[in-house]
Amino acid sequence: MSFGSLFDSAMLPYGVPAMVGGKPLFNSPALSLALQTNMEAQRDGSVLPVVTSVGSGDTAARNKEDENDCRSGSDHLDGLSSDELEPPGNSRKRKKRYHRHTPQQIQELEALFKECPHPDEKQRAELSKRLCLENRQVKFWFQNRRTQMKMQMERHENTLLRQENDKLRAENMSIREAMRNPICNHCGGPAMLGEVSLEEQHLRMENARLKDELTRVCALAGKLLGKPVSSMSTLSLPMPNSSLDLAVGTNNFASPLPTLNDFPNNASSPLGTVITPTRGAAANAMIGVDKSLERSMLLELALAAMDELVKMAQMEEPLWIPWLEGGKATLNYEEYLRSFNRCIGVKPVGFVSEATRETGVVIINSMALVETLMDSARWSEMFSCVIASATTIEVLSSGMGGSRNGALQLIHAELQVLSPLVPIRDVNFLRFCKQLAEGCWAVVDVSIDGIRENASALADNMKCRRLPSGCLVQELPNGYCKVTWVEHVEYEEVAVHQLYRPILRSGLGLGAHRWLATLQRQCECLAILMSSSSPTTDTTTITASGRRSMLKLAQRMTDNFCAGVCASSAHKWSKLVGAGNVGEDVKVMTRQSVDEPGEPPGVVLSAATSVWVPVAPQRLFDFLRDERLRSEWDILSNGGPMQEMAHIAKGQHHGNSVSLLRASAVNSNQSSMLILQETCTDPSGSMVVYAPVDIPAMHLVMSGGDSTYVALLPSGFAILPDGPGISGSTTAIGDGETKVGGSLLTVAFQILVNSQPTAKLTVESVETVNNLISCTIQKIKAALNCDV
DNA sequence: GAACTAATCCCTT
DNA sequence: AAGGGATTAGTTC
């Protein structure tokens, strides 16, 4: 009789293992006593158990036995060797009896695991009954299986990372090799020094990244292997160690701000954990190399741009030459070229530069501002009068540790000056965000024209590239922050009408001044809208939801107005060519409106032009937004004054508001007409946009209804100060003679010329709109006592 | 000795 | 109390 058979007799019915109350019966005093006697017997040799024949070697026989048995091996003591039998009295430290579940059991367990790695108690109980396993055994099995699974996943990931690392290393080697004999791409001769240093910069970047990746892989490998793996032992690079120590973005200047490397990035790269997607197929290898090369070039560009932006924002003279008035300054180009390597290459022939800087306090907290800048949708909403459209093409890094620090994305944007005489600026740029210190952030933009082809650029858009531009944000107490904005672009000037060249060159059109003023105005608006729980400033009482609805409608109106002036790619305007006797400077476009919610169906005509008016921008703006003087230029006024029915303030300045105007009726039978108007102004420019609206629709909106289906076609004005050297007019103010500039006024109308979308546009309707524009301009000039 | 696996300990939720 | 991570212990190759 074997020990096995002894234990067999201890089996409970149905093959349930010999366990009592969840504990092995082995611990039962009665049984251990029984065992003891047998063990002693075994030692004596008096009762030699069959064990000897089953003993150490005969696994095959045992395995076979296991297979035929419907029970776990846990109660088999067949294989128990004598030294596993513990001495008497040491019963607390029980020995484990090793076994494996039978293949059938494992098969069943695996089957369930495949379906559901987390079976509930019921499923487990059912399985344990079926497989003659203890409940806990099933539980343990699943638990172990899950950890095993996790291990496998991690290991797999580790292999992939290693492969990636190898690939990058090979790539680095080839670049290194290529650098040894630099050859000029154009002439085939030895390359110039400048090109080599560019290559060297790439290598530095690559090296930093490789080093990083290696540390990460080693850390992971170490974790899996349970012992530290030295990067130097796994990698014997045939190069001096010092080459690995080249820092990223080395500073040539003593910057008062810490560099990126000073932040606790630990083992991560400046962009956070960059895991390049793995591409298994060999055919993709080259694309992969190209991709990762491109990626590192983009990263390098972003870092260089950041470096430049921070310096541009902080350096004073001689880099910046201060203006006499205000805090403005112009860039000293000679000094600029001395101080910086042109990180996007030399200025193309025919391009002119525009560089401005502006500092101001904005009512927004620094994090919210950074978030807004890093979200292209929110960004374009914030600067809606400057940005015609903006899309994030690719997010290269979303930042590290849940913050925007290190975030890098590729953005396509169309920037506009509200005038048909200035083509839209089409730009593809990188936007890189970096935390410089606690509460201090920098967001830099830089064009990538040299790295990626600007495929989406439309033919009639202005060719433009952004040199490192952006802002430094410094958190201030009470929800304010100090913003330093730098705007530096190069663009093709021939496409710009003469009238607008000075203002663009001076940066008043799309420079730092304009961006910052827009930001200040919009943030003030947001702050007011969020704080105004009691609409005390309103002339009428509109509910909160009504105000929201109305503001939303006004926003759509203004956006459509801007789109009509500048024809961004987001809107399907088609330019009208050969439009009869339409003046050279009036841009006429048409569009078929079919099933557009929020617009009447039919053929929509948009006409816009810009003129110079010898009147200060402020005076022009005040005149145009005054509802009482409306009859002087607006045919919708029916010759009388208009009345303000509702007013929602959007800023401290009374000129920032959305209002509802009522025109006087021509006669008593006619119901009066409503006009929705939005006006906005800041030191960089102003706008008056309005549209006639349906009375019942407006009632719906003001009671908080959905404004999406309210049809409107906006018209209005955009006012910019004229550039230096345009007006030259001087006006005596008080006792001193102050130079007062004139204004650049853009007038734009959108009208429905036919309610049949398929109708052909007639010469008459073009003439009508042309007349409308010239009449309006004449009336305005006359009212302001300008020479007509 | 490394890889695998059942079981245990101990901690968190 | 359940579940998971770390660890242990027994086994196989």
Side-chain angles (χ1 to χ4, degrees), chain A residues 28 98 100 121 138 197 241 251 386 391 428 541 599 689 699 732:
Chain A
S28 142
Y98 186 80
R100 289 189 184 203
E121 219 158 340
V138 177
S197 94
N241 277 351
N251 278 324
V386 182
T391 12
N428 270 313
T541 43
E599 234 179 38
V689 183
H699 274 294

Side-chain angles (χ1 to χ4, degrees), chain A residues 733-750:
Chain A
I733 290 186
D735 43 4
E737 216 179 51
T738 315
K739 190 179 172 200
V740 173
S743 307
L744 292 168
L745 174 67
T746 295
V747 186
F749 287 101
Q750 283 184 39

Side-chain angles (χ1 to χ4, degrees), chain A residues 402-422:
Chain A
S403 87
R404 290 294 191 173
N405 189 15
L408 179 66
Q409 48 184 271
L410 205 52
I411 296 178
H412 170 248
E414 295 176 326
L415 308 179
Q416 65 194 4
V417 171
L418 286 172
S419 167
L421 308 186
V422 183

Side-chain angles (χ1 to χ4, degrees), chain A residues 154-320:
Chain A
E154 278 176 7
R155 203 169 315 169
H156 183 65
E157 197 183 354
N158 196 10
T159 339
L160 293 183
L161 281 171
R162 265 178 192 286
Q163 284 171 3
E164 183 74 13
N165 197 10
D166 287 345
K167 209 166 64 185
L168 286 170
R169 219 170 60 230
E171 190 188 312
N172 190 9
M173 291 293 221
S174 63
I175 296 177
R176 184 167 286 273
E177 191 52 49
M179 211 194 84
R180 214 164 281 169
N181 317 306
I183 289 171
C184 176
N185 281 336
H186 299 293
C187 60
M192 292 288 99
L193 225 91
E195 288 164 273
V196 176
S197 94
L198 199 73
E199 286 294 312
E200 190 189 348
Q201 278 183 8
H202 291 173
L203 277 169
R204 283 170 190 235
M205 291 297 308
E206 271 300 284
N207 273 337
R209 213 156 56 83
L210 282 169
K211 188 181 176 185
D212 201 286
E213 196 116 10
L214 184 62
T215 334
R216 219 149 35 74
V217 171
C218 288
L220 191 56
K223 215 170 80 187
L224 287 171
L225 299 174
K227 63 181 180 194
V229 177
S230 154
S231 57
M232 283 306 137
S233 69
T234 51
L235 256 188
S236 49
L237 293 172
M239 55 174 113
N241 277 351
S242 61
S243 65
L244 276 175
D245 294 328
L246 291 171
V248 183
T250 15
N251 278 324
N252 302 322
F253 297 84
S255 165
L257 287 168
T259 68
L260 198 68
N261 295 316
D262 297 331
F263 295 99
N265 294 337
N266 300 331
S268 68
S269 72
L271 293 186
T273 316
V274 180
I275 298 179
T276 320
T278 5
R279 293 158 294 268
N284 286 338
M286 266 325 286
I287 300 167
V289 169
D290 283 355
K291 263 252 177 273
S292 97
L293 182 64
E294 182 195 72
R295 199 192 169 89
S296 63
M297 283 168 77
L298 292 176
L299 171 56
E300 178 201 351
L301 178 60
L303 288 167
M306 180 59 80
D307 203 38
E308 182 173 321
L309 172 74
V310 171
K311 283 170 196 154
M312 289 277 276
Q314 292 178 339
M315 286 169 90
E316 295 301 334
E317 288 176 84
L319 184 66
W320 291 96

Side-chain angles (χ1 to χ4, degrees), chain A residues 1 52 64 74 102 120 219 243-244 268 285 307 309 318 354 379 472 544 597-598 613 635 687 689:
Chain A
M1 170 189 153
T52 43
K64 200 174 172 218
S74 59
T102 66
D120 58 23
S243 65
L244 276 175
S268 68
D307 203 38
L309 172 74
E354 169 197 322
W379 176 59
L472 253 60
V613 184
I635 52 161
M687 252 200 292
V689 183

